[in-house]
Structures are given as C-alpha cells and as structure tokens.
Amino acid sequence: MRYSSRLTVAAHILMCIGYFQGKEKLTSDFLAGSVNVNPVVVRNTLGKLKKAGIVRVEAGIGGASLARDPSDITLLDIFSAVETDTDLFHFHENPNPQCPVGRSVHPVLGEQLASVQSAMESHLASISLNDLLRGIGK
Amino acid sequence: MRYSSRLTVAAHILMCIGYFQGKEKLTSDFLAGSVNVNPVVVRNTLGKLKKAGIVRVEAGIGGASLARDPSDITLLDIFSAVETDTDLFHFHENPNPQCPVGRSVHPVLGEQLASVQSAMESHLASISLNDLLRGIGK
DNA sequence: TTTGTTGTAACTTTTTAAATTACAACAGTA
DNA sequence: TACTGTTGTAATTTAAAAAGTTACAACAAA
C-alpha cells in the first residue's frame, strides 16, 4: 500500500488558495469544485492545515487564505500536517523472539528503513508551494 | 496510508534463508514460524521473489534458497519484486479540467513527487541483504 | 503408493480512506 | 432580530486493499 491522496489533495487546495487569493472567495465548496472531492473532505483538510499554522480560515463568513508566504510552505509541512501515519514502511507485528533472525529484524531493518524515510522527508522539505505555483498554466 | 508490510516480511524471509541456509530445511512452515505469519503468505511471497530471480524454491521436496549472492540483493530488488503498486503517492482522480489549477496539478506536482520517489528508490538500492545479515545477533 | 511440500484459487476478516448526511456554531446583512 | 451562507465536527456508509485462512491439485522423493 501507499500513502493516501491526502498530500495531493492538500497540495491542490493550497495551490488554489495561492492562485486565487484576492480574486475569489475561497469557500470549501469552491475548492471542492476544483479538486473534485466532497466539501467535507476540504473542510477537514483545511482544519489540519489551520492547526499546523499554514492557512487561516474565516468561520461563519467563510473563506481560506495562506498564513505564510508560499516560499515558506514545503511539501514536508503539508505532508506532516495532513497524514495521520507518516511512517513509510510498516512492520509485521510479531516476529518470533525465539529465532535469532526474528529477534533482530526490527532493530536491524528498522534502522535502515528509517534512513530511507528521512531521505524522503528531506527531499519533501526541499520543495515549496512557490515551486508548485510557478508551474501553473505554464 | 503507507506501504504494506510486504517489504519487511520479504526481507525477513530472505534474512532467514541467508542465515539458516545449509543448516535447516527452509520450508514455508519453518519460515512462517520465524516471521509469524500464515504459511500461505510466505509461499506467495516466495513465489514473487522466485519470479524476480532472487530465490530458488524446490517444489515437492520443499525448501528455499538464495539464487544470488546476498551482496547482490538490494532492498530495491525486494521492494520491486513484492509490492504491487510501487507508487509512493496517490493522486486524487478527477481534478476539474475547467480550473487552471485543476488542469496543472497532476503534471506539476507529479513531476516533483516523482523526484521524491526516485530519491527513495536509490536509497533502497544502496542497502543489500548482506548489510542486514551482518546485523543479526550483534 | 505414501508422505510432505509447493502453487494457487477462493473466501473471510480487518482496516483504512473517502464520501456522505446532518446539524450546531458562527458572522455578517437586511 | 431574523435570515443567509458558511465552517466545524460527529456519525454513518461505501469502497478498496491487505492479510489470514481453507482447501486442494500438482509435484518429488522415499
């Protein structure tokens, strides 16, 4: 299995906000129309992004806006805000502790996979919302 | 979401084979005992590893063995052999093509995510079964 | 021919994401 | 104040995928 589409949905939403900010009222309905998902999914996603300090949302009146400069919002920020389980790999639960291999898998393999994970994360951190906005309509 | 436990299960199986080769008869039951999964899962996994030229399996008589030197089996080899969908990120299906952002998400974001993916894969390729075997019982 | 094993298909269980429904809380406006 | 459009959030449903399990034919050696 792989990561859910939460990262791409969240990135899409933020690209919309960055692109349309000032021109359109960015309600969850409007954003849902571009992403083509249910408005409630947009609201939940915005809720997580708000908690992470990435967007501001006006309750009641409606409308979302970026809380930081697009160059200061990275894919890692979005990823961490939005994915519940950020672990890339998933260990099988109960290797046999009686077996020398079963006893060692988790520490040995886990250490290696953690380095893969952090390589991925630093790569995500090197890409900003600004980089994405530059590509729109090009 | 994240990758299934297929990679860790497959790596565990291969570590067992590398470790016990020559000392034990490596049947799916024996391997299942160390990994602590159903023997059928082991057989399915071995089937994929066999197709990828990583192991040899004796039908009838039973028992698995490595088809290559452990230093020539990387985590990327195992990963590719065993995961059905190797895509790390998952795109939402139907962004609105009427919207300039909806039209651009896939190409723009997809290109960036592909670079993240290949960074991860080259990292996986740098770790061999030999590296894992060295860590056992240490 | 008997025994122990692999290869596979089919089915069930469990888990997770995403869609959906519903409604209270909120903030402006008439 | 009442009305309107919106957010926040809980609860439920639907859909998809992984892993567990059962069952059995094919196989290879003794």
Side-chain angles (χ1 to χ4, degrees), chain A residues 3-6 9 37-38 41 83, chain B residues 90:
Chain A
Y3 286 119
S4 68
S5 59
R6 280 188 201 138
V9 167
V37 294
N38 194 287
V41 173
E83 279 293 342
Chain B
H90 206 207

PDB file of all heavy atoms in Angstrom, chain A residues 3-6 9 37-38 41 83, chain B residues 90, chain C residues 17-20, chain D residues 11-15:
ATOM      1  N   TYR A   3       0.830   5.889   0.489  1.00  0.00           N
ATOM      2  CA  TYR A   3       0.159   6.979   1.173  1.00  0.00           C
ATOM      3  C   TYR A   3      -1.168   7.276   0.498  1.00  0.00           C
ATOM      4  O   TYR A   3      -1.336   7.102  -0.705  1.00  0.00           O
ATOM      5  CB  TYR A   3       1.029   8.228   1.160  1.00  0.00           C
ATOM      6  CG  TYR A   3       2.186   8.131   2.123  1.00  0.00           C
ATOM      7  CD1 TYR A   3       3.485   8.196   1.677  1.00  0.00           C
ATOM      8  CD2 TYR A   3       1.964   7.950   3.482  1.00  0.00           C
ATOM      9  CE1 TYR A   3       4.558   8.092   2.568  1.00  0.00           C
ATOM     10  CE2 TYR A   3       3.023   7.850   4.374  1.00  0.00           C
ATOM     11  CZ  TYR A   3       4.300   7.915   3.900  1.00  0.00           C
ATOM     12  OH  TYR A   3       5.348   7.813   4.782  1.00  0.00           O
ATOM     13  N   SER A   4      -2.121   7.752   1.265  1.00  0.00           N
ATOM     14  CA  SER A   4      -3.418   8.148   0.736  1.00  0.00           C
ATOM     15  C   SER A   4      -3.238   9.364  -0.171  1.00  0.00           C
ATOM     16  O   SER A   4      -2.146   9.876  -0.354  1.00  0.00           O
ATOM     17  CB  SER A   4      -4.336   8.516   1.893  1.00  0.00           C
ATOM     18  OG  SER A   4      -3.863   9.697   2.496  1.00  0.00           O
ATOM     19  N   SER A   5      -4.322   9.834  -0.730  1.00  0.00           N
ATOM     20  CA  SER A   5      -4.238  11.011  -1.598  1.00  0.00           C
ATOM     21  C   SER A   5      -4.314  12.301  -0.788  1.00  0.00           C
ATOM     22  O   SER A   5      -4.503  13.373  -1.349  1.00  0.00           O
ATOM     23  CB  SER A   5      -5.361  10.961  -2.631  1.00  0.00           C
ATOM     24  OG  SER A   5      -6.614  10.935  -2.003  1.00  0.00           O
ATOM     25  N   ARG A   6      -4.136  12.205   0.520  1.00  0.00           N
ATOM     26  CA  ARG A   6      -4.252  13.407   1.344  1.00  0.00           C
ATOM     27  C   ARG A   6      -3.232  14.474   0.993  1.00  0.00           C
ATOM     28  O   ARG A   6      -3.559  15.663   0.953  1.00  0.00           O
ATOM     29  CB  ARG A   6      -4.083  13.045   2.831  1.00  0.00           C
ATOM     30  CG  ARG A   6      -5.339  12.490   3.421  1.00  0.00           C
ATOM     31  CD  ARG A   6      -5.212  12.328   4.920  1.00  0.00           C
ATOM     32  NE  ARG A   6      -6.191  11.365   5.404  1.00  0.00           N
ATOM     33  CZ  ARG A   6      -5.950  10.434   6.297  1.00  0.00           C
ATOM     34  NH1 ARG A   6      -4.747  10.315   6.815  1.00  0.00           N
ATOM     35  NH2 ARG A   6      -6.891   9.616   6.666  1.00  0.00           N
ATOM     36  N   VAL A   9      -4.243  16.074  -2.354  1.00  0.00           N
ATOM     37  CA  VAL A   9      -5.443  16.890  -2.172  1.00  0.00           C
ATOM     38  C   VAL A   9      -5.090  18.183  -1.441  1.00  0.00           C
ATOM     39  O   VAL A   9      -5.491  19.277  -1.861  1.00  0.00           O
ATOM     40  CB  VAL A   9      -6.526  16.109  -1.384  1.00  0.00           C
ATOM     41  CG1 VAL A   9      -7.636  17.042  -0.928  1.00  0.00           C
ATOM     42  CG2 VAL A   9      -7.108  14.992  -2.251  1.00  0.00           C
ATOM     43  N   VAL A  37     -13.611  16.717  -4.927  1.00  0.00           N
ATOM     44  CA  VAL A  37     -13.886  15.834  -3.797  1.00  0.00           C
ATOM     45  C   VAL A  37     -15.019  16.458  -2.994  1.00  0.00           C
ATOM     46  O   VAL A  37     -15.458  17.569  -3.291  1.00  0.00           O
ATOM     47  CB  VAL A  37     -12.666  15.660  -2.866  1.00  0.00           C
ATOM     48  CG1 VAL A  37     -11.536  14.929  -3.563  1.00  0.00           C
ATOM     49  CG2 VAL A  37     -12.205  17.016  -2.337  1.00  0.00           C
ATOM     50  N   ASN A  38     -15.464  15.750  -2.005  1.00  0.00           N
ATOM     51  CA  ASN A  38     -16.551  16.243  -1.170  1.00  0.00           C
ATOM     52  C   ASN A  38     -16.098  17.449  -0.330  1.00  0.00           C
ATOM     53  O   ASN A  38     -14.994  17.444   0.214  1.00  0.00           O
ATOM     54  CB  ASN A  38     -17.011  15.098  -0.264  1.00  0.00           C
ATOM     55  CG  ASN A  38     -18.338  15.399   0.375  1.00  0.00           C
ATOM     56  OD1 ASN A  38     -18.406  16.225   1.287  1.00  0.00           O
ATOM     57  ND2 ASN A  38     -19.382  14.774  -0.105  1.00  0.00           N
ATOM     58  N   VAL A  41     -14.446  16.869   2.943  1.00  0.00           N
ATOM     59  CA  VAL A  41     -13.028  16.484   2.877  1.00  0.00           C
ATOM     60  C   VAL A  41     -12.161  17.739   2.857  1.00  0.00           C
ATOM     61  O   VAL A  41     -11.140  17.828   3.542  1.00  0.00           O
ATOM     62  CB  VAL A  41     -12.758  15.613   1.634  1.00  0.00           C
ATOM     63  CG1 VAL A  41     -11.269  15.359   1.463  1.00  0.00           C
ATOM     64  CG2 VAL A  41     -13.522  14.309   1.725  1.00  0.00           C
ATOM     65  N   GLU A  83      -1.049  13.864   6.963  1.00  0.00           N
ATOM     66  CA  GLU A  83      -1.025  12.404   7.079  1.00  0.00           C
ATOM     67  C   GLU A  83      -1.065  11.997   8.547  1.00  0.00           C
ATOM     68  O   GLU A  83      -0.334  12.546   9.364  1.00  0.00           O
ATOM     69  CB  GLU A  83       0.233  11.818   6.425  1.00  0.00           C
ATOM     70  CG  GLU A  83       0.164  11.665   4.918  1.00  0.00           C
ATOM     71  CD  GLU A  83      -0.854  10.609   4.460  1.00  0.00           C
ATOM     72  OE1 GLU A  83      -1.270   9.763   5.269  1.00  0.00           O
ATOM     73  OE2 GLU A  83      -1.248  10.666   3.279  1.00  0.00           O
TER      74      GLU A  83
ATOM     75  N   HIS B  90      -0.311   8.948  -4.072  1.00  0.00           N
ATOM     76  CA  HIS B  90      -1.518   8.557  -4.762  1.00  0.00           C
ATOM     77  C   HIS B  90      -2.271   9.810  -5.154  1.00  0.00           C
ATOM     78  O   HIS B  90      -2.629  10.596  -4.294  1.00  0.00           O
ATOM     79  CB  HIS B  90      -2.363   7.714  -3.797  1.00  0.00           C
ATOM     80  CG  HIS B  90      -3.269   6.761  -4.482  1.00  0.00           C
ATOM     81  ND1 HIS B  90      -4.439   6.316  -3.916  1.00  0.00           N
ATOM     82  CD2 HIS B  90      -3.174   6.164  -5.680  1.00  0.00           C
ATOM     83  CE1 HIS B  90      -5.026   5.475  -4.752  1.00  0.00           C
ATOM     84  NE2 HIS B  90      -4.279   5.361  -5.820  1.00  0.00           N
TER      85      HIS B  90
ATOM     86  P    DA C  17      -6.152   6.077   6.713  1.00  0.00           P
ATOM     87  OP1  DA C  17      -4.820   6.687   6.628  1.00  0.00           O
ATOM     88  OP2  DA C  17      -7.057   6.396   7.816  1.00  0.00           O
ATOM     89  O5'  DA C  17      -6.910   6.354   5.337  1.00  0.00           O
ATOM     90  C5'  DA C  17      -6.461   5.714   4.160  1.00  0.00           C
ATOM     91  C4'  DA C  17      -7.431   5.987   3.048  1.00  0.00           C
ATOM     92  O4'  DA C  17      -8.644   5.235   3.260  1.00  0.00           O
ATOM     93  C3'  DA C  17      -7.842   7.437   2.915  1.00  0.00           C
ATOM     94  O3'  DA C  17      -7.807   7.776   1.542  1.00  0.00           O
ATOM     95  C2'  DA C  17      -9.247   7.479   3.502  1.00  0.00           C
ATOM     96  C1'  DA C  17      -9.769   6.087   3.212  1.00  0.00           C
ATOM     97  N9   DA C  17     -10.719   5.569   4.200  1.00  0.00           N
ATOM     98  C8   DA C  17     -10.587   5.556   5.558  1.00  0.00           C
ATOM     99  N7   DA C  17     -11.606   5.002   6.184  1.00  0.00           N
ATOM    100  C5   DA C  17     -12.460   4.634   5.164  1.00  0.00           C
ATOM    101  C6   DA C  17     -13.711   3.992   5.162  1.00  0.00           C
ATOM    102  N6   DA C  17     -14.344   3.611   6.260  1.00  0.00           N
ATOM    103  N1   DA C  17     -14.290   3.768   3.967  1.00  0.00           N
ATOM    104  C2   DA C  17     -13.652   4.149   2.855  1.00  0.00           C
ATOM    105  N3   DA C  17     -12.476   4.748   2.729  1.00  0.00           N
ATOM    106  C4   DA C  17     -11.926   4.975   3.938  1.00  0.00           C
ATOM    107  P    DA C  18      -7.944   9.316   1.113  1.00  0.00           P
ATOM    108  OP1  DA C  18      -7.159   9.496  -0.119  1.00  0.00           O
ATOM    109  OP2  DA C  18      -7.723  10.174   2.287  1.00  0.00           O
ATOM    110  O5'  DA C  18      -9.480   9.408   0.718  1.00  0.00           O
ATOM    111  C5'  DA C  18      -9.977   8.553  -0.313  1.00  0.00           C
ATOM    112  C4'  DA C  18     -11.478   8.632  -0.336  1.00  0.00           C
ATOM    113  O4'  DA C  18     -12.007   8.029   0.856  1.00  0.00           O
ATOM    114  C3'  DA C  18     -12.028  10.054  -0.387  1.00  0.00           C
ATOM    115  O3'  DA C  18     -12.759  10.196  -1.594  1.00  0.00           O
ATOM    116  C2'  DA C  18     -12.894  10.172   0.881  1.00  0.00           C
ATOM    117  C1'  DA C  18     -13.162   8.717   1.239  1.00  0.00           C
ATOM    118  N9   DA C  18     -13.363   8.451   2.666  1.00  0.00           N
ATOM    119  C8   DA C  18     -12.553   8.808   3.708  1.00  0.00           C
ATOM    120  N7   DA C  18     -12.990   8.405   4.882  1.00  0.00           N
ATOM    121  C5   DA C  18     -14.166   7.735   4.585  1.00  0.00           C
ATOM    122  C6   DA C  18     -15.106   7.069   5.400  1.00  0.00           C
ATOM    123  N6   DA C  18     -15.003   6.986   6.724  1.00  0.00           N
ATOM    124  N1   DA C  18     -16.170   6.502   4.776  1.00  0.00           N
ATOM    125  C2   DA C  18     -16.263   6.595   3.443  1.00  0.00           C
ATOM    126  N3   DA C  18     -15.452   7.193   2.581  1.00  0.00           N
ATOM    127  C4   DA C  18     -14.413   7.746   3.226  1.00  0.00           C
ATOM    128  P    DA C  19     -13.696  11.474  -1.855  1.00  0.00           P
ATOM    129  OP1  DA C  19     -13.794  11.625  -3.315  1.00  0.00           O
ATOM    130  OP2  DA C  19     -13.299  12.599  -0.993  1.00  0.00           O
ATOM    131  O5'  DA C  19     -15.091  10.917  -1.341  1.00  0.00           O
ATOM    132  C5'  DA C  19     -15.621   9.743  -1.955  1.00  0.00           C
ATOM    133  C4'  DA C  19     -17.060   9.553  -1.516  1.00  0.00           C
ATOM    134  O4'  DA C  19     -17.071   9.202  -0.115  1.00  0.00           O
ATOM    135  C3'  DA C  19     -17.939  10.788  -1.661  1.00  0.00           C
ATOM    136  O3'  DA C  19     -19.166  10.380  -2.235  1.00  0.00           O
ATOM    137  C2'  DA C  19     -18.098  11.300  -0.227  1.00  0.00           C
ATOM    138  C1'  DA C  19     -17.976  10.023   0.577  1.00  0.00           C
ATOM    139  N9   DA C  19     -17.422  10.181   1.921  1.00  0.00           N
ATOM    140  C8   DA C  19     -16.254  10.812   2.269  1.00  0.00           C
ATOM    141  N7   DA C  19     -15.984  10.764   3.559  1.00  0.00           N
ATOM    142  C5   DA C  19     -17.060  10.059   4.086  1.00  0.00           C
ATOM    143  C6   DA C  19     -17.373   9.671   5.404  1.00  0.00           C
ATOM    144  N6   DA C  19     -16.608   9.953   6.464  1.00  0.00           N
ATOM    145  N1   DA C  19     -18.513   8.975   5.598  1.00  0.00           N
ATOM    146  C2   DA C  19     -19.275   8.687   4.529  1.00  0.00           C
ATOM    147  N3   DA C  19     -19.088   8.997   3.246  1.00  0.00           N
ATOM    148  C4   DA C  19     -17.942   9.695   3.099  1.00  0.00           C
ATOM    149  P    DT C  20     -20.276  11.445  -2.580  1.00  0.00           P
ATOM    150  OP1  DT C  20     -21.142  10.860  -3.616  1.00  0.00           O
ATOM    151  OP2  DT C  20     -19.651  12.763  -2.776  1.00  0.00           O
ATOM    152  O5'  DT C  20     -21.116  11.473  -1.232  1.00  0.00           O
ATOM    153  C5'  DT C  20     -21.670  10.252  -0.751  1.00  0.00           C
ATOM    154  C4'  DT C  20     -22.353  10.492   0.574  1.00  0.00           C
ATOM    155  O4'  DT C  20     -21.370  10.676   1.611  1.00  0.00           O
ATOM    156  C3'  DT C  20     -23.245  11.742   0.630  1.00  0.00           C
ATOM    157  O3'  DT C  20     -24.581  11.295   0.730  1.00  0.00           O
ATOM    158  C2'  DT C  20     -22.776  12.491   1.884  1.00  0.00           C
ATOM    159  C1'  DT C  20     -21.975  11.437   2.628  1.00  0.00           C
ATOM    160  N1   DT C  20     -20.897  11.905   3.515  1.00  0.00           N
ATOM    161  C2   DT C  20     -20.975  11.595   4.842  1.00  0.00           C
ATOM    162  O2   DT C  20     -21.900  10.965   5.333  1.00  0.00           O
ATOM    163  N3   DT C  20     -19.914  12.048   5.602  1.00  0.00           N
ATOM    164  C4   DT C  20     -18.818  12.768   5.157  1.00  0.00           C
ATOM    165  O4   DT C  20     -17.942  13.122   5.932  1.00  0.00           O
ATOM    166  C5   DT C  20     -18.803  13.063   3.739  1.00  0.00           C
ATOM    167  C7   DT C  20     -17.674  13.832   3.162  1.00  0.00           C
ATOM    168  C6   DT C  20     -19.834  12.626   2.990  1.00  0.00           C
TER     169       DT C  20
ATOM    170  P    DA D  11     -20.001  10.935  17.616  1.00  0.00           P
ATOM    171  OP1  DA D  11     -20.634  10.747  18.932  1.00  0.00           O
ATOM    172  OP2  DA D  11     -18.615  10.467  17.362  1.00  0.00           O
ATOM    173  O5'  DA D  11     -20.946  10.299  16.495  1.00  0.00           O
ATOM    174  C5'  DA D  11     -22.135  10.998  16.091  1.00  0.00           C
ATOM    175  C4'  DA D  11     -22.738  10.248  14.930  1.00  0.00           C
ATOM    176  O4'  DA D  11     -22.218  10.795  13.691  1.00  0.00           O
ATOM    177  C3'  DA D  11     -22.414   8.755  14.913  1.00  0.00           C
ATOM    178  O3'  DA D  11     -23.598   8.018  14.616  1.00  0.00           O
ATOM    179  C2'  DA D  11     -21.346   8.623  13.847  1.00  0.00           C
ATOM    180  C1'  DA D  11     -21.712   9.754  12.888  1.00  0.00           C
ATOM    181  N9   DA D  11     -20.587  10.293  12.127  1.00  0.00           N
ATOM    182  C8   DA D  11     -19.312  10.532  12.569  1.00  0.00           C
ATOM    183  N7   DA D  11     -18.512  11.018  11.651  1.00  0.00           N
ATOM    184  C5   DA D  11     -19.315  11.108  10.521  1.00  0.00           C
ATOM    185  C6   DA D  11     -19.064  11.552   9.204  1.00  0.00           C
ATOM    186  N6   DA D  11     -17.887  12.004   8.794  1.00  0.00           N
ATOM    187  N1   DA D  11     -20.088  11.495   8.327  1.00  0.00           N
ATOM    188  C2   DA D  11     -21.273  11.038   8.742  1.00  0.00           C
ATOM    189  N3   DA D  11     -21.627  10.594   9.951  1.00  0.00           N
ATOM    190  C4   DA D  11     -20.592  10.657  10.808  1.00  0.00           C
ATOM    191  P    DT D  12     -23.550   6.426  14.542  1.00  0.00           P
ATOM    192  OP1  DT D  12     -24.778   5.952  15.185  1.00  0.00           O
ATOM    193  OP2  DT D  12     -22.216   5.949  14.977  1.00  0.00           O
ATOM    194  O5'  DT D  12     -23.676   6.197  12.974  1.00  0.00           O
ATOM    195  C5'  DT D  12     -24.574   7.027  12.242  1.00  0.00           C
ATOM    196  C4'  DT D  12     -24.453   6.728  10.771  1.00  0.00           C
ATOM    197  O4'  DT D  12     -23.333   7.468  10.213  1.00  0.00           O
ATOM    198  C3'  DT D  12     -24.196   5.245  10.456  1.00  0.00           C
ATOM    199  O3'  DT D  12     -25.183   4.797   9.548  1.00  0.00           O
ATOM    200  C2'  DT D  12     -22.781   5.240   9.866  1.00  0.00           C
ATOM    201  C1'  DT D  12     -22.643   6.644   9.308  1.00  0.00           C
ATOM    202  N1   DT D  12     -21.251   7.143   9.215  1.00  0.00           N
ATOM    203  C2   DT D  12     -20.814   7.679   8.018  1.00  0.00           C
ATOM    204  O2   DT D  12     -21.520   7.778   7.033  1.00  0.00           O
ATOM    205  N3   DT D  12     -19.519   8.119   8.015  1.00  0.00           N
ATOM    206  C4   DT D  12     -18.624   8.061   9.067  1.00  0.00           C
ATOM    207  O4   DT D  12     -17.481   8.484   8.950  1.00  0.00           O
ATOM    208  C5   DT D  12     -19.138   7.475  10.293  1.00  0.00           C
ATOM    209  C7   DT D  12     -18.247   7.360  11.487  1.00  0.00           C
ATOM    210  C6   DT D  12     -20.411   7.059  10.299  1.00  0.00           C
ATOM    211  P    DT D  13     -25.128   3.334   8.944  1.00  0.00           P
ATOM    212  OP1  DT D  13     -26.517   2.916   8.731  1.00  0.00           O
ATOM    213  OP2  DT D  13     -24.193   2.515   9.756  1.00  0.00           O
ATOM    214  O5'  DT D  13     -24.476   3.589   7.515  1.00  0.00           O
ATOM    215  C5'  DT D  13     -25.019   4.604   6.685  1.00  0.00           C
ATOM    216  C4'  DT D  13     -24.228   4.639   5.383  1.00  0.00           C
ATOM    217  O4'  DT D  13     -22.904   5.169   5.634  1.00  0.00           O
ATOM    218  C3'  DT D  13     -24.036   3.275   4.724  1.00  0.00           C
ATOM    219  O3'  DT D  13     -24.431   3.409   3.364  1.00  0.00           O
ATOM    220  C2'  DT D  13     -22.544   2.988   4.911  1.00  0.00           C
ATOM    221  C1'  DT D  13     -21.954   4.379   4.959  1.00  0.00           C
ATOM    222  N1   DT D  13     -20.672   4.554   5.691  1.00  0.00           N
ATOM    223  C2   DT D  13     -19.613   5.163   5.054  1.00  0.00           C
ATOM    224  O2   DT D  13     -19.662   5.551   3.898  1.00  0.00           O
ATOM    225  N3   DT D  13     -18.479   5.320   5.817  1.00  0.00           N
ATOM    226  C4   DT D  13     -18.303   4.933   7.143  1.00  0.00           C
ATOM    227  O4   DT D  13     -17.250   5.129   7.720  1.00  0.00           O
ATOM    228  C5   DT D  13     -19.464   4.290   7.753  1.00  0.00           C
ATOM    229  C7   DT D  13     -19.368   3.835   9.164  1.00  0.00           C
ATOM    230  C6   DT D  13     -20.573   4.145   7.001  1.00  0.00           C
ATOM    231  P    DT D  14     -24.402   2.150   2.384  1.00  0.00           P
ATOM    232  OP1  DT D  14     -25.506   2.371   1.433  1.00  0.00           O
ATOM    233  OP2  DT D  14     -24.310   0.922   3.192  1.00  0.00           O
ATOM    234  O5'  DT D  14     -23.041   2.352   1.581  1.00  0.00           O
ATOM    235  C5'  DT D  14     -22.785   3.610   0.973  1.00  0.00           C
ATOM    236  C4'  DT D  14     -21.455   3.555   0.260  1.00  0.00           C
ATOM    237  O4'  DT D  14     -20.392   3.724   1.220  1.00  0.00           O
ATOM    238  C3'  DT D  14     -21.177   2.265  -0.493  1.00  0.00           C
ATOM    239  O3'  DT D  14     -20.799   2.631  -1.806  1.00  0.00           O
ATOM    240  C2'  DT D  14     -20.078   1.594   0.336  1.00  0.00           C
ATOM    241  C1'  DT D  14     -19.375   2.783   0.964  1.00  0.00           C
ATOM    242  N1   DT D  14     -18.688   2.581   2.267  1.00  0.00           N
ATOM    243  C2   DT D  14     -17.427   3.111   2.445  1.00  0.00           C
ATOM    244  O2   DT D  14     -16.840   3.725   1.565  1.00  0.00           O
ATOM    245  N3   DT D  14     -16.877   2.906   3.688  1.00  0.00           N
ATOM    246  C4   DT D  14     -17.447   2.236   4.746  1.00  0.00           C
ATOM    247  O4   DT D  14     -16.852   2.131   5.808  1.00  0.00           O
ATOM    248  C5   DT D  14     -18.773   1.706   4.499  1.00  0.00           C
ATOM    249  C7   DT D  14     -19.466   0.960   5.590  1.00  0.00           C
ATOM    250  C6   DT D  14     -19.324   1.897   3.289  1.00  0.00           C
ATOM    251  P    DA D  15     -20.332   1.553  -2.881  1.00  0.00           P
ATOM    252  OP1  DA D  15     -20.576   2.146  -4.216  1.00  0.00           O
ATOM    253  OP2  DA D  15     -20.902   0.243  -2.520  1.00  0.00           O
ATOM    254  O5'  DA D  15     -18.757   1.525  -2.677  1.00  0.00           O
ATOM    255  C5'  DA D  15     -18.073   2.755  -2.567  1.00  0.00           C
ATOM    256  C4'  DA D  15     -16.593   2.495  -2.634  1.00  0.00           C
ATOM    257  O4'  DA D  15     -16.089   2.281  -1.294  1.00  0.00           O
ATOM    258  C3'  DA D  15     -16.194   1.270  -3.438  1.00  0.00           C
ATOM    259  O3'  DA D  15     -15.043   1.620  -4.176  1.00  0.00           O
ATOM    260  C2'  DA D  15     -15.917   0.204  -2.379  1.00  0.00           C
ATOM    261  C1'  DA D  15     -15.401   1.051  -1.222  1.00  0.00           C
ATOM    262  N9   DA D  15     -15.653   0.518   0.108  1.00  0.00           N
ATOM    263  C8   DA D  15     -16.757  -0.153   0.557  1.00  0.00           C
ATOM    264  N7   DA D  15     -16.695  -0.487   1.832  1.00  0.00           N
ATOM    265  C5   DA D  15     -15.464   0.016   2.239  1.00  0.00           C
ATOM    266  C6   DA D  15     -14.802   0.005   3.481  1.00  0.00           C
ATOM    267  N6   DA D  15     -15.307  -0.543   4.583  1.00  0.00           N
ATOM    268  N1   DA D  15     -13.585   0.592   3.544  1.00  0.00           N
ATOM    269  C2   DA D  15     -13.086   1.151   2.435  1.00  0.00           C
ATOM    270  N3   DA D  15     -13.611   1.229   1.226  1.00  0.00           N
ATOM    271  C4   DA D  15     -14.815   0.628   1.191  1.00  0.00           C
TER     272       DA D  15
END
